[in-house]
Amino acid sequence: MKIFIAGASGAIGRHLVPQLVARGHAVVGSTRSAAKVDALRALGAEPVVVDALDPDSVAGAVARAEPEVVVHQLTALSGPADFRHVARMAAATDRLRTEGTDHLLAAARAIGARRVVAQSNAMWMERTGGPAADESVRIEPHPPADAARSVAALRHLEDAVTGIAWGAGIALRYGGFYGPGTGISAEPDAVMAGYVRGRRFPIVGGGGGVWSLVHIVDAASATVAAIERGTPGIYHVADDEPAPVRVFLPELARALGAKPPRRVPAWLARLVAGEGAVSLMTRARGISSGKIKKELGWTPRYPTWRTGFAEGLR
């Protein structure tokens, strides 16, 4: 198929493009940076520079590509993390999940694309219920005030993509990424790994927030499955072991050769990072990926983060 990937130079795009090319697909990959054009070409994509917040730029690029499938992997999460200003840090990605989504959908509809696959995430599943949510669970309807804009942006993306009537709209709720090219890897410039090594990523309160994780290579292979044979709706993409922060974070520190994480009380973290960050560390729910395994035959290379941390960070 001819596939247009918006945000192809991002963490998942760098693994998704070569997997699609290896399976015989023709890929046009967009980036907002001309400096990344050569890297995209080396991965096997036809590169194009696009401003995702400019509807004319998006429409022109998609029209020239004439893809059968449009893939939305747009974020603005690279660079240093600023936990003292979480909402400000997320603002650019929020716009890509609202305005950027709308521009891509309009462009895809105009050229008759038959499928759209978009990146959502599973960090804001509704905070009531068991530790692992399936696809019937909604995004948290009453998030903390400092996370409300970002949660609303996720909701907008999912509703807009899965609501299209002219093609198959698929939203992928990924677990937290780790592995090469992400913030959690053995690479020296991996941002979150640097925080773990510096003991600046603490366990907050009791560390009871349950996170689902997924190796970036597995996230890409799940995306390939959705592109090739997914049906309209939502799929969860994560490994088989949702775990509380207090369980996986010390193991991550050990895998990175770091000292154990510090512990800080929730009230202090709330003062420094806000209520949204505290909710993620203390109240988050994991996800179950049974649907994508059953319907699309997806099997992760790293079925648990324990193996992934030991073998897959490099």
Side-chain angles (χ1 to χ4, degrees), residues 46-93:
E46 177 186 337
V48 57
V49 177
V50 176
D51 178 357
L53 297 178
D54 179 346
D56 293 334
S57 178
V58 175
V62 173
R64 287 188 293 273
E66 297 184 314
E68 298 167 72
V69 181
V70 172
V71 182
H72 179 354
Q73 294 289 348
L74 294 165
T75 66
L77 299 175
S78 61
D82 182 1
F83 294 110
R84 291 180 180 270
H85 302 95
V86 174
R88 184 190 308 168
M89 181 176 64
T93 293

mmCIF file of all heavy atoms in Angstrom, residues 46-93:
data_model
loop_
_atom_site.group_PDB
_atom_site.id
_atom_site.type_symbol
_atom_site.label_atom_id
_atom_site.label_comp_id
_atom_site.label_asym_id
_atom_site.label_seq_id
_atom_site.Cartn_x
_atom_site.Cartn_y
_atom_site.Cartn_z
ATOM 1 N N GLU A 46 9.995 8.178 1.493
ATOM 2 C CA GLU A 46 10.099 9.387 0.687
ATOM 3 C C GLU A 46 9.791 10.560 1.618
ATOM 4 O O GLU A 46 8.657 10.696 2.077
ATOM 5 C CB GLU A 46 9.093 9.360 -0.456
ATOM 6 C CG GLU A 46 9.075 10.616 -1.308
ATOM 7 C CD GLU A 46 7.965 10.611 -2.327
ATOM 8 O OE1 GLU A 46 7.488 9.515 -2.689
ATOM 9 O OE2 GLU A 46 7.552 11.715 -2.753
ATOM 10 N N PRO A 47 10.779 11.400 1.928
ATOM 11 C CA PRO A 47 10.564 12.435 2.939
ATOM 12 C C PRO A 47 9.871 13.667 2.391
ATOM 13 O O PRO A 47 10.025 14.019 1.218
ATOM 14 C CB PRO A 47 11.984 12.765 3.404
ATOM 15 C CG PRO A 47 12.834 12.471 2.215
ATOM 16 C CD PRO A 47 12.175 11.347 1.474
ATOM 17 N N VAL A 48 9.114 14.334 3.260
ATOM 18 C CA VAL A 48 8.478 15.592 2.905
ATOM 19 C C VAL A 48 8.413 16.454 4.158
ATOM 20 O O VAL A 48 8.125 15.952 5.250
ATOM 21 C CB VAL A 48 7.071 15.364 2.308
ATOM 22 C CG1 VAL A 48 6.178 14.594 3.265
ATOM 23 C CG2 VAL A 48 6.427 16.680 1.901
ATOM 24 N N VAL A 49 8.723 17.724 4.014
ATOM 25 C CA VAL A 49 8.678 18.655 5.140
ATOM 26 C C VAL A 49 7.285 19.286 5.188
ATOM 27 O O VAL A 49 6.828 19.859 4.194
ATOM 28 C CB VAL A 49 9.762 19.751 5.005
ATOM 29 C CG1 VAL A 49 9.654 20.745 6.155
ATOM 30 C CG2 VAL A 49 11.141 19.106 4.969
ATOM 31 N N VAL A 50 6.631 19.156 6.348
ATOM 32 C CA VAL A 50 5.249 19.611 6.497
ATOM 33 C C VAL A 50 5.087 20.324 7.835
ATOM 34 O O VAL A 50 5.604 19.861 8.857
ATOM 35 C CB VAL A 50 4.263 18.418 6.440
ATOM 36 C CG1 VAL A 50 2.832 18.882 6.696
ATOM 37 C CG2 VAL A 50 4.358 17.710 5.101
ATOM 38 N N ASP A 51 4.364 21.411 7.815
ATOM 39 C CA ASP A 51 3.929 22.070 9.040
ATOM 40 C C ASP A 51 2.547 21.536 9.361
ATOM 41 O O ASP A 51 1.556 21.901 8.720
ATOM 42 C CB ASP A 51 3.892 23.585 8.850
ATOM 43 C CG ASP A 51 3.398 24.322 10.094
ATOM 44 O OD1 ASP A 51 3.024 23.664 11.084
ATOM 45 O OD2 ASP A 51 3.386 25.567 10.070
ATOM 46 N N ALA A 52 2.454 20.663 10.358
ATOM 47 C CA ALA A 52 1.202 19.974 10.656
ATOM 48 C C ALA A 52 0.104 20.906 11.143
ATOM 49 O O ALA A 52 -1.074 20.532 11.142
ATOM 50 C CB ALA A 52 1.438 18.875 11.685
ATOM 51 N N LEU A 53 0.473 22.112 11.577
ATOM 52 C CA LEU A 53 -0.522 23.068 12.042
ATOM 53 C C LEU A 53 -0.978 24.023 10.940
ATOM 54 O O LEU A 53 -1.798 24.914 11.189
ATOM 55 C CB LEU A 53 0.032 23.853 13.238
ATOM 56 C CG LEU A 53 0.351 22.993 14.469
ATOM 57 C CD1 LEU A 53 0.950 23.854 15.581
ATOM 58 C CD2 LEU A 53 -0.891 22.263 14.976
ATOM 59 N N ASP A 54 -0.467 23.830 9.742
ATOM 60 C CA ASP A 54 -0.874 24.617 8.577
ATOM 61 C C ASP A 54 -1.738 23.722 7.689
ATOM 62 O O ASP A 54 -1.220 22.788 7.059
ATOM 63 C CB ASP A 54 0.358 25.095 7.815
ATOM 64 C CG ASP A 54 0.016 25.895 6.572
ATOM 65 O OD1 ASP A 54 -1.155 25.875 6.131
ATOM 66 O OD2 ASP A 54 0.930 26.538 6.023
ATOM 67 N N PRO A 55 -3.037 23.958 7.613
ATOM 68 C CA PRO A 55 -3.901 23.053 6.848
ATOM 69 C C PRO A 55 -3.536 22.957 5.384
ATOM 70 O O PRO A 55 -3.668 21.889 4.763
ATOM 71 C CB PRO A 55 -5.309 23.644 7.040
ATOM 72 C CG PRO A 55 -5.093 25.054 7.490
ATOM 73 C CD PRO A 55 -3.808 25.060 8.231
ATOM 74 N N ASP A 56 -3.051 24.041 4.793
ATOM 75 C CA ASP A 56 -2.666 23.998 3.386
ATOM 76 C C ASP A 56 -1.421 23.139 3.174
ATOM 77 O O ASP A 56 -1.317 22.404 2.181
ATOM 78 C CB ASP A 56 -2.420 25.414 2.864
ATOM 79 C CG ASP A 56 -3.694 26.245 2.811
ATOM 80 O OD1 ASP A 56 -4.784 25.651 2.684
ATOM 81 O OD2 ASP A 56 -3.598 27.484 2.916
ATOM 82 N N SER A 57 -0.467 23.248 4.105
ATOM 83 C CA SER A 57 0.742 22.425 4.021
ATOM 84 C C SER A 57 0.388 20.945 4.110
ATOM 85 O O SER A 57 0.886 20.122 3.326
ATOM 86 C CB SER A 57 1.710 22.813 5.141
ATOM 87 O OG SER A 57 2.861 22.003 5.126
ATOM 88 N N VAL A 58 -0.500 20.597 5.043
ATOM 89 C CA VAL A 58 -0.912 19.203 5.212
ATOM 90 C C VAL A 58 -1.679 18.726 3.985
ATOM 91 O O VAL A 58 -1.403 17.643 3.440
ATOM 92 C CB VAL A 58 -1.770 19.048 6.477
ATOM 93 C CG1 VAL A 58 -2.311 17.616 6.587
ATOM 94 C CG2 VAL A 58 -0.959 19.394 7.719
ATOM 95 N N ALA A 59 -2.635 19.519 3.534
ATOM 96 C CA ALA A 59 -3.455 19.114 2.395
ATOM 97 C C ALA A 59 -2.610 18.900 1.148
ATOM 98 O O ALA A 59 -2.808 17.924 0.400
ATOM 99 C CB ALA A 59 -4.531 20.169 2.134
ATOM 100 N N GLY A 60 -1.647 19.790 0.924
ATOM 101 C CA GLY A 60 -0.810 19.661 -0.254
ATOM 102 C C GLY A 60 0.057 18.416 -0.218
ATOM 103 O O GLY A 60 0.178 17.687 -1.212
ATOM 104 N N ALA A 61 0.651 18.140 0.939
ATOM 105 C CA ALA A 61 1.534 16.974 1.062
ATOM 106 C C ALA A 61 0.767 15.676 0.895
ATOM 107 O O ALA A 61 1.215 14.747 0.211
ATOM 108 C CB ALA A 61 2.245 17.007 2.407
ATOM 109 N N VAL A 62 -0.408 15.589 1.512
ATOM 110 C CA VAL A 62 -1.203 14.367 1.410
ATOM 111 C C VAL A 62 -1.738 14.193 -0.003
ATOM 112 O O VAL A 62 -1.749 13.078 -0.547
ATOM 113 C CB VAL A 62 -2.351 14.384 2.449
ATOM 114 C CG1 VAL A 62 -3.286 13.195 2.248
ATOM 115 C CG2 VAL A 62 -1.781 14.357 3.870
ATOM 116 N N ALA A 63 -2.157 15.271 -0.628
ATOM 117 C CA ALA A 63 -2.668 15.184 -2.006
ATOM 118 C C ALA A 63 -1.585 14.699 -2.964
ATOM 119 O O ALA A 63 -1.843 13.891 -3.862
ATOM 120 C CB ALA A 63 -3.203 16.538 -2.443
ATOM 121 N N ARG A 64 -0.360 15.185 -2.794
ATOM 122 C CA ARG A 64 0.731 14.751 -3.678
ATOM 123 C C ARG A 64 1.081 13.284 -3.447
ATOM 124 O O ARG A 64 1.438 12.564 -4.384
ATOM 125 C CB ARG A 64 1.967 15.635 -3.459
ATOM 126 C CG ARG A 64 1.818 17.047 -4.042
ATOM 127 C CD ARG A 64 3.121 17.814 -3.977
ATOM 128 N NE ARG A 64 3.521 18.111 -2.600
ATOM 129 C CZ ARG A 64 3.127 19.176 -1.911
ATOM 130 N NH1 ARG A 64 2.297 20.059 -2.476
ATOM 131 N NH2 ARG A 64 3.542 19.385 -0.678
ATOM 132 N N ALA A 65 0.964 12.830 -2.197
ATOM 133 C CA ALA A 65 1.314 11.444 -1.880
ATOM 134 C C ALA A 65 0.244 10.459 -2.349
ATOM 135 O O ALA A 65 0.558 9.316 -2.680
ATOM 136 C CB ALA A 65 1.532 11.296 -0.371
ATOM 137 N N GLU A 66 -1.024 10.860 -2.330
ATOM 138 C CA GLU A 66 -2.150 10.000 -2.696
ATOM 139 C C GLU A 66 -2.107 8.653 -1.974
ATOM 140 O O GLU A 66 -2.134 7.594 -2.594
ATOM 141 C CB GLU A 66 -2.188 9.776 -4.211
ATOM 142 C CG GLU A 66 -2.417 11.039 -5.018
ATOM 143 C CD GLU A 66 -2.547 10.762 -6.501
ATOM 144 O OE1 GLU A 66 -1.728 9.994 -7.047
ATOM 145 O OE2 GLU A 66 -3.487 11.293 -7.102
ATOM 146 N N PRO A 67 -2.055 8.669 -0.633
ATOM 147 C CA PRO A 67 -1.942 7.414 0.101
ATOM 148 C C PRO A 67 -3.286 6.696 0.250
ATOM 149 O O PRO A 67 -4.354 7.316 0.221
ATOM 150 C CB PRO A 67 -1.433 7.871 1.463
ATOM 151 C CG PRO A 67 -2.085 9.220 1.634
ATOM 152 C CD PRO A 67 -2.077 9.832 0.263
ATOM 153 N N GLU A 68 -3.208 5.404 0.440
ATOM 154 C CA GLU A 68 -4.383 4.629 0.833
ATOM 155 C C GLU A 68 -4.601 4.710 2.339
ATOM 156 O O GLU A 68 -5.730 4.598 2.816
ATOM 157 C CB GLU A 68 -4.207 3.172 0.424
ATOM 158 C CG GLU A 68 -4.072 2.944 -1.064
ATOM 159 C CD GLU A 68 -3.584 1.555 -1.372
ATOM 160 O OE1 GLU A 68 -4.362 0.599 -1.197
ATOM 161 O OE2 GLU A 68 -2.414 1.415 -1.779
ATOM 162 N N VAL A 69 -3.521 4.885 3.078
ATOM 163 C CA VAL A 69 -3.577 4.934 4.538
ATOM 164 C C VAL A 69 -2.822 6.166 5.021
ATOM 165 O O VAL A 69 -1.718 6.448 4.548
ATOM 166 C CB VAL A 69 -2.956 3.668 5.177
ATOM 167 C CG1 VAL A 69 -3.055 3.726 6.707
ATOM 168 C CG2 VAL A 69 -3.626 2.404 4.651
ATOM 169 N N VAL A 70 -3.419 6.883 5.972
ATOM 170 C CA VAL A 70 -2.760 8.001 6.637
ATOM 171 C C VAL A 70 -2.518 7.619 8.087
ATOM 172 O O VAL A 70 -3.438 7.167 8.779
ATOM 173 C CB VAL A 70 -3.612 9.284 6.562
ATOM 174 C CG1 VAL A 70 -3.011 10.390 7.427
ATOM 175 C CG2 VAL A 70 -3.730 9.755 5.114
ATOM 176 N N VAL A 71 -1.285 7.785 8.550
ATOM 177 C CA VAL A 71 -0.902 7.428 9.917
ATOM 178 C C VAL A 71 -0.499 8.690 10.664
ATOM 179 O O VAL A 71 0.362 9.446 10.204
ATOM 180 C CB VAL A 71 0.257 6.413 9.930
ATOM 181 C CG1 VAL A 71 0.617 6.021 11.362
ATOM 182 C CG2 VAL A 71 -0.123 5.175 9.116
ATOM 183 N N HIS A 72 -1.108 8.909 11.801
ATOM 184 C CA HIS A 72 -0.904 10.116 12.616
ATOM 185 C C HIS A 72 -0.014 9.765 13.807
ATOM 186 O O HIS A 72 -0.465 9.134 14.757
ATOM 187 C CB HIS A 72 -2.282 10.592 13.072
ATOM 188 C CG HIS A 72 -2.298 11.818 13.940
ATOM 189 N ND1 HIS A 72 -1.166 12.441 14.425
ATOM 190 C CD2 HIS A 72 -3.345 12.539 14.426
ATOM 191 C CE1 HIS A 72 -1.524 13.492 15.172
ATOM 192 N NE2 HIS A 72 -2.834 13.560 15.181
ATOM 193 N N GLN A 73 1.255 10.143 13.721
ATOM 194 C CA GLN A 73 2.195 9.930 14.823
ATOM 195 C C GLN A 73 2.798 11.266 15.258
ATOM 196 O O GLN A 73 3.933 11.330 15.728
ATOM 197 C CB GLN A 73 3.304 8.965 14.394
ATOM 198 C CG GLN A 73 2.847 7.550 14.113
ATOM 199 C CD GLN A 73 2.461 6.782 15.356
ATOM 200 O OE1 GLN A 73 2.732 7.210 16.475
ATOM 201 N NE2 GLN A 73 1.816 5.639 15.175
ATOM 202 N N LEU A 74 2.026 12.324 15.161
ATOM 203 C CA LEU A 74 2.526 13.655 15.480
ATOM 204 C C LEU A 74 2.544 13.910 16.983
ATOM 205 O O LEU A 74 1.518 13.793 17.661
ATOM 206 C CB LEU A 74 1.632 14.716 14.826
ATOM 207 C CG LEU A 74 1.618 14.769 13.303
ATOM 208 C CD1 LEU A 74 0.442 15.596 12.822
ATOM 209 C CD2 LEU A 74 2.936 15.337 12.780
ATOM 210 N N THR A 75 3.712 14.257 17.507
ATOM 211 C CA THR A 75 3.845 14.757 18.865
ATOM 212 C C THR A 75 4.955 15.809 18.861
ATOM 213 O O THR A 75 5.669 15.972 17.873
ATOM 214 C CB THR A 75 4.218 13.661 19.889
ATOM 215 O OG1 THR A 75 5.540 13.171 19.601
ATOM 216 C CG2 THR A 75 3.226 12.503 19.858
ATOM 217 N N ALA A 76 5.096 16.479 19.978
ATOM 218 C CA ALA A 76 6.200 17.435 20.151
ATOM 219 C C ALA A 76 6.828 17.176 21.517
ATOM 220 O O ALA A 76 6.972 18.072 22.336
ATOM 221 C CB ALA A 76 5.691 18.857 20.051
ATOM 222 N N LEU A 77 7.177 15.921 21.749
ATOM 223 C CA LEU A 77 7.636 15.501 23.077
ATOM 224 C C LEU A 77 9.138 15.339 23.182
ATOM 225 O O LEU A 77 9.640 14.903 24.218
ATOM 226 C CB LEU A 77 6.952 14.177 23.462
ATOM 227 C CG LEU A 77 5.425 14.245 23.551
ATOM 228 C CD1 LEU A 77 4.850 12.859 23.815
ATOM 229 C CD2 LEU A 77 5.002 15.220 24.635
ATOM 230 N N SER A 78 9.875 15.638 22.126
ATOM 231 C CA SER A 78 11.332 15.539 22.207
ATOM 232 C C SER A 78 11.878 16.723 22.988
ATOM 233 O O SER A 78 11.198 17.725 23.196
ATOM 234 C CB SER A 78 11.934 15.494 20.805
ATOM 235 O OG SER A 78 11.619 16.677 20.102
ATOM 236 N N GLY A 79 13.113 16.592 23.430
ATOM 237 C CA GLY A 79 13.735 17.673 24.197
ATOM 238 C C GLY A 79 13.623 17.424 25.690
ATOM 239 O O GLY A 79 13.029 16.448 26.142
ATOM 240 N N PRO A 80 14.184 18.311 26.479
ATOM 241 C CA PRO A 80 14.214 18.111 27.931
ATOM 242 C C PRO A 80 12.828 18.193 28.551
ATOM 243 O O PRO A 80 11.982 18.977 28.136
ATOM 244 C CB PRO A 80 15.111 19.263 28.425
ATOM 245 C CG PRO A 80 15.010 20.300 27.353
ATOM 246 C CD PRO A 80 14.857 19.558 26.069
ATOM 247 N N ALA A 81 12.602 17.330 29.541
ATOM 248 C CA ALA A 81 11.337 17.341 30.274
ATOM 249 C C ALA A 81 11.366 18.460 31.321
ATOM 250 O O ALA A 81 12.387 18.717 31.942
ATOM 251 C CB ALA A 81 11.113 15.992 30.944
ATOM 252 N N ASP A 82 10.218 19.095 31.519
ATOM 253 C CA ASP A 82 10.104 20.184 32.489
ATOM 254 C C ASP A 82 8.937 19.873 33.421
ATOM 255 O O ASP A 82 7.802 20.270 33.172
ATOM 256 C CB ASP A 82 9.871 21.513 31.757
ATOM 257 C CG ASP A 82 9.782 22.703 32.715
ATOM 258 O OD1 ASP A 82 9.929 22.491 33.935
ATOM 259 O OD2 ASP A 82 9.546 23.826 32.246
ATOM 260 N N PHE A 83 9.216 19.136 34.483
ATOM 261 C CA PHE A 83 8.150 18.672 35.361
ATOM 262 C C PHE A 83 7.569 19.782 36.220
ATOM 263 O O PHE A 83 6.528 19.599 36.854
ATOM 264 C CB PHE A 83 8.659 17.518 36.242
ATOM 265 C CG PHE A 83 8.989 16.287 35.443
ATOM 266 C CD1 PHE A 83 10.300 15.885 35.279
ATOM 267 C CD2 PHE A 83 7.987 15.560 34.835
ATOM 268 C CE1 PHE A 83 10.603 14.757 34.532
ATOM 269 C CE2 PHE A 83 8.279 14.430 34.084
ATOM 270 C CZ PHE A 83 9.591 14.028 33.937
ATOM 271 N N ARG A 84 8.219 20.923 36.262
ATOM 272 C CA ARG A 84 7.655 22.044 37.006
ATOM 273 C C ARG A 84 6.601 22.793 36.175
ATOM 274 O O ARG A 84 5.851 23.603 36.709
ATOM 275 C CB ARG A 84 8.768 23.006 37.441
ATOM 276 C CG ARG A 84 9.687 22.429 38.506
ATOM 277 C CD ARG A 84 10.766 23.414 38.890
ATOM 278 N NE ARG A 84 11.652 22.870 39.908
ATOM 279 C CZ ARG A 84 11.469 22.987 41.215
ATOM 280 N NH1 ARG A 84 10.421 23.641 41.656
ATOM 281 N NH2 ARG A 84 12.310 22.463 42.068
ATOM 282 N N HIS A 85 6.596 22.521 34.872
ATOM 283 C CA HIS A 85 5.645 23.204 33.986
ATOM 284 C C HIS A 85 5.097 22.173 32.998
ATOM 285 O O HIS A 85 5.292 22.273 31.790
ATOM 286 C CB HIS A 85 6.322 24.354 33.237
ATOM 287 C CG HIS A 85 6.941 25.378 34.144
ATOM 288 N ND1 HIS A 85 8.272 25.340 34.502
ATOM 289 C CD2 HIS A 85 6.405 26.443 34.795
ATOM 290 C CE1 HIS A 85 8.532 26.362 35.312
ATOM 291 N NE2 HIS A 85 7.422 27.031 35.503
ATOM 292 N N VAL A 86 4.404 21.164 33.528
ATOM 293 C CA VAL A 86 3.950 20.045 32.718
ATOM 294 C C VAL A 86 2.975 20.501 31.637
ATOM 295 O O VAL A 86 3.064 20.093 30.477
ATOM 296 C CB VAL A 86 3.313 18.966 33.614
ATOM 297 C CG1 VAL A 86 2.709 17.855 32.775
ATOM 298 C CG2 VAL A 86 4.366 18.382 34.563
ATOM 299 N N ALA A 87 2.008 21.352 32.019
ATOM 300 C CA ALA A 87 1.004 21.795 31.046
ATOM 301 C C ALA A 87 1.655 22.563 29.903
ATOM 302 O O ALA A 87 1.305 22.388 28.726
ATOM 303 C CB ALA A 87 -0.053 22.646 31.742
ATOM 304 N N ARG A 88 2.620 23.428 30.230
ATOM 305 C CA ARG A 88 3.320 24.191 29.194
ATOM 306 C C ARG A 88 4.104 23.254 28.279
ATOM 307 O O ARG A 88 4.118 23.437 27.058
ATOM 308 C CB ARG A 88 4.252 25.202 29.846
ATOM 309 C CG ARG A 88 4.964 26.119 28.865
ATOM 310 C CD ARG A 88 6.057 26.926 29.550
ATOM 311 N NE ARG A 88 5.554 27.624 30.733
ATOM 312 C CZ ARG A 88 6.346 28.200 31.630
ATOM 313 N NH1 ARG A 88 7.681 28.172 31.473
ATOM 314 N NH2 ARG A 88 5.834 28.808 32.677
ATOM 315 N N MET A 89 4.734 22.229 28.862
ATOM 316 C CA MET A 89 5.518 21.279 28.091
ATOM 317 C C MET A 89 4.637 20.513 27.106
ATOM 318 O O MET A 89 5.053 20.186 25.993
ATOM 319 C CB MET A 89 6.221 20.309 29.047
ATOM 320 C CG MET A 89 7.094 19.261 28.394
ATOM 321 S SD MET A 89 7.971 18.237 29.607
ATOM 322 C CE MET A 89 6.602 17.408 30.422
ATOM 323 N N ALA A 90 3.389 20.244 27.499
ATOM 324 C CA ALA A 90 2.488 19.439 26.674
ATOM 325 C C ALA A 90 1.708 20.239 25.657
ATOM 326 O O ALA A 90 1.035 19.658 24.789
ATOM 327 C CB ALA A 90 1.516 18.682 27.578
ATOM 328 N N ALA A 91 1.763 21.561 25.717
ATOM 329 C CA ALA A 91 0.878 22.402 24.905
ATOM 330 C C ALA A 91 1.036 22.147 23.406
ATOM 331 O O ALA A 91 0.042 22.102 22.668
ATOM 332 C CB ALA A 91 1.119 23.874 25.225
ATOM 333 N N ALA A 92 2.259 22.011 22.925
ATOM 334 C CA ALA A 92 2.469 21.814 21.489
ATOM 335 C C ALA A 92 1.879 20.482 21.027
ATOM 336 O O ALA A 92 1.263 20.402 19.951
ATOM 337 C CB ALA A 92 3.953 21.880 21.159
ATOM 338 N N THR A 93 2.054 19.441 21.836
ATOM 339 C CA THR A 93 1.465 18.152 21.482
ATOM 340 C C THR A 93 -0.054 18.210 21.524
ATOM 341 O O THR A 93 -0.737 17.606 20.690
ATOM 342 C CB THR A 93 1.993 17.052 22.416
ATOM 343 O OG1 THR A 93 3.390 16.859 22.160
ATOM 344 C CG2 THR A 93 1.276 15.729 22.192
#
